[in-house]
Amino acid sequence: MIDLQNARILICNDDGIDAPGIKLLESLARQFSDDVWVVAPSIEQSGAGHSLTLHRPLRIHARDDRHFAVDGTPTDCILLALQVIMRETPPDIVLSGINRGGNLGEDVTYSGTVAAAMEAALLNIPAIAFSQYFSQKLINWDIAKAHFVDVVRSLIKVEWPSNVLINVNFPENERDGGAQICVTRQGQRKIGDHVEERLDPRGEVYYWVGAIRSELPEDKNADLHVIAKGDISITPIGLDFTDNVTHEKLTKAFQ
């Protein structure tokens, strides 16, 4: 079990190093330890997924001895943090977020916040991704503030495998009686995002990808359902995407 009081904590996100969510995450993490490092993208990288920058050089800009901005993706940030910035003093745990918006259902495949945690897990560092769901113009961070410490303390009591990351989502509003912590499955929604066709001032067609679909899955244990009813969703995400049932069928078919 990680000794949080003496832990070296690395923080990353995809909203950028100056985003309010990462500043909140750093302040919350400092309730556990003073040894907190921030390595995050210079600018917003939402939707970057688990992408690496391969065709141009990356630069690290030190804000001070514990804060570093990287002109790349969240995955780049974790890679440079572990192999360059913190090579001699690696972190005990990586916390990613707090993302401005939920990372639910298929969102986890697009999310740079989840990808930062994924890269850390691939490099054998325990990692947790945090997201704050919202649907209004103003985001309510109070639920994350109120529950973050309890969520993390509960999580670190469980030694999850090195090929698993933990995806935490806070609801926009707590249900009556207060939000409960629920262990959930990754939900699935109806396929197809809204894509709108428009014309620019020169009459040329362009396309704008609209809001993520909002249909809820039938599974009441899905992350989407839990957030919708005002509870906190905790989903273990495995890095091995192999479908074991289909693997068995294919093995038999090709024998």
Side-chain angles (χ1 to χ4, degrees):
M1 187 173 73
I2 298 170
D3 177 8
L4 283 175
Q5 186 174 352
N6 297 299
R8 176 165 289 123
I9 301 173
L10 171 60
I11 288 176
C12 189
N13 74 345
D14 71 359
D15 290 328
I17 194 168
D18 295 312
I22 198 169
K23 293 180 179 179
L24 173 59
L25 179 57
E26 180 180 2
S27 68
L28 293 171
R30 289 191 180 281
Q31 295 186 43
F32 298 126
S33 171
D34 292 328
D35 195 0
V36 178
W37 298 60
V38 176
V39 181
S42 302
I43 60 174
E44 183 177 348
Q45 294 285 329
S46 297
H50 196 202
S51 59
L52 277 170
T53 301
L54 300 176
H55 301 294
R56 65 171 179 83
L58 292 167
R59 299 189 186 277
I60 300 171
H61 304 279
R63 298 279 183 91
D64 56 41
D65 62 349
R66 296 286 179 90
H67 294 79
F68 301 85
V70 174
D71 64 342
T73 68
T75 303
D76 295 328
C77 292
I78 296 297
L79 193 61
L80 290 179
L82 297 183
Q83 296 197 9
V84 179
I85 298 169
M86 304 178 70
R87 181 173 53 199
E88 304 301 326
T89 58
D92 298 296
I93 189 169
V94 169
L95 306 179
S96 183
I98 299 172
N99 190 67
R100 186 177 182 273
N103 278 309
L104 305 160
E106 294 90 341
D107 297 348
V108 301
T109 64
Y110 307 118
S111 168
T113 299
V114 174
M118 183 180 294
E119 186 67 12
L122 286 169
L123 295 170
N124 296 315
I125 306 294
I128 309 172
F130 297 92
S131 301
Q132 175 61 64
Y133 178 81
F134 77 104
S135 60
Q136 307 300 320
K137 289 184 178 180
L138 295 177
I139 187 167
N140 174 21
W141 300 103
D142 290 342
I143 297 175
K145 291 178 185 178
H147 295 279
F148 174 87
V149 170
D150 287 340
V151 167
V152 174
R153 283 180 175 156
S154 297
L155 282 173
I156 62 151
K157 292 177 181 178
V158 181
E159 294 186 9
W160 61 86
S162 60
N163 65 340
V164 171
L165 66 94
I166 306 297
N167 185 35
V168 177
N169 281 270
F170 298 104
E172 183 170 30
N173 298 294
E174 298 192 64
R175 69 170 177 170
D176 291 342
Q180 302 296 310
I181 298 174
C182 300
V183 179
T184 59
R185 300 184 60 83
Q186 179 187 339
Q188 290 185 321
R189 290 173 285 194
K190 179 179 175 291
I191 295 174
D193 290 276
H194 174 67
V195 178
E196 187 171 330
E197 181 178 301
R198 299 181 184 179
L199 294 177
D200 67 18
R202 296 185 178 182
E204 298 291 335
V205 175
Y206 69 94
Y207 298 91
W208 195 278
V209 178
I212 300 295
R213 52 208 177 275
S214 60
E215 294 88 345
L216 291 176
E218 294 181 2
D219 185 358
K220 298 296 190 296
N221 190 41
D223 50 11
L224 294 150
H225 256 296
V226 166
I227 289 297
K229 70 180 183 180
D231 286 329
I232 298 165
S233 167
I234 294 180
T235 311
I237 304 291
L239 303 186
D240 181 356
F241 294 165
T242 306
D243 183 81
N244 292 320
V245 173
T246 306
H247 181 279
E248 184 176 346
K249 289 181 180 180
L250 290 173
T251 300
K252 291 178 180 179
F254 286 98
Q255 283 179 341

